[in-house]
Amino acid sequence: MRGVILYGPPAAGKDTVTAALRDLDPRYVLFERLKVGPGRTTGYRMTDETTLDQLRRAGDVVWENHRYGARYVVDRPFLTQRLSAAVPVVHLGQRHAVAAVTRAVPDARWWVVYLWCPRDVAERRILARQTGDTDARLRAWDDTESLPDADLTIDTAEVSPHAAAERIHRHVLAADARSTVPKA
């Protein structure tokens, strides 16, 4: 079981790089987080508070955060299912979330990629989306801590989505090759 975490601030390119990974190799699939609340529905599994409460009681909420008036959740059942069937790509923007997800399924191997771009680039991208919440997204950009211990760091203002996907894929393949080499 293996997965990729794309960590970074809003508009760093997580959706675009995920699409490029999928184009490169269909084994990469977006891990659609659960979402309760307003805003975009594409890329999420929309749910309700009752379902989240059931997951919490069962101990199956790996990570939960609140942003843009909505609640976002990484749940253990879907994470385990995705890890068993594909190479899930999980989008995260909080350092503590990375640790929570990587610990959630002890048998999984995660590659953590820190996607970043300068704030002015992020602002242009956010404005182009026309989501109407530019200030909130820029505050989230400001609040996103760097991730110096990531396996890879990619500045998406300097590296195309396709090139970023190729770098990530090569990194995953190289790690796979190292793990299959017999030990002497």
Side-chain angles (χ1 to χ4, degrees):
M1 292 192 299
R2 59 194 173 162
V4 174
I5 293 173
L6 296 183
Y7 172 88
K14 293 182 289 288
D15 287 331
T16 307
V17 171
T18 298
L21 278 166
R22 178 76 179 170
D23 289 346
L24 189 62
D25 188 325
R27 291 177 289 184
Y28 294 103
V29 296
L30 173 66
F31 175 83
E32 297 167 315
R33 288 179 293 162
L34 289 169
K35 180 178 178 181
V36 175
R40 188 173 80 164
T41 58
T42 302
Y44 298 100
R45 294 175 292 133
M46 299 305 292
T47 192
D48 56 38
E49 285 293 338
T50 302
T51 302
L52 288 186
D53 287 341
Q54 291 169 348
L55 286 166
R56 282 188 205 100
R57 282 193 300 277
D60 284 333
V61 170
V62 171
W63 178 257
E64 179 175 350
N65 70 300
H66 309 263
R67 195 164 264 168
Y68 317 123
R71 191 178 318 263
Y72 302 88
V73 172
V74 175
D75 62 306
R76 188 180 327 281
F78 193 61
L79 186 62
T80 302
Q81 184 273 328
R82 282 295 203 202
L83 282 162
S84 297
V87 180
V89 180
V90 181
H91 296 179
L92 299 173
Q94 300 81 26
R95 288 179 62 112
H96 296 297
V98 174
V101 170
T102 58
R103 282 192 316 259
V105 183
D107 296 335
R109 168 60 171 104
W110 291 97
W111 289 270
V112 179
V113 181
Y114 176 30
L115 297 181
W116 183 87
C117 65
R119 191 177 194 275
D120 64 313
V121 172
E123 184 174 14
R124 284 195 303 273
R125 291 173 179 175
I126 292 166
L127 288 168
R129 291 180 187 168
Q130 298 180 338
T131 56
D133 58 357
T134 301
D135 290 340
R137 291 187 185 274
L138 288 174
R139 276 192 303 279
W141 191 97
D142 293 336
D143 291 343
T144 304
E145 298 177 74
S146 66
L147 197 65
D149 56 344
D151 297 307
L152 288 172
T153 298
I154 299 172
D155 180 345
T156 61
E158 301 292 327
V159 177
S160 74
H162 178 76
E166 285 182 340
R167 284 177 62 185
I168 294 165
H169 186 61
R170 277 195 314 270
H171 189 75
V172 170
L173 290 176
D176 282 352
R178 284 191 303 274
S179 68
T180 59
V181 173
K183 295 186 178 170

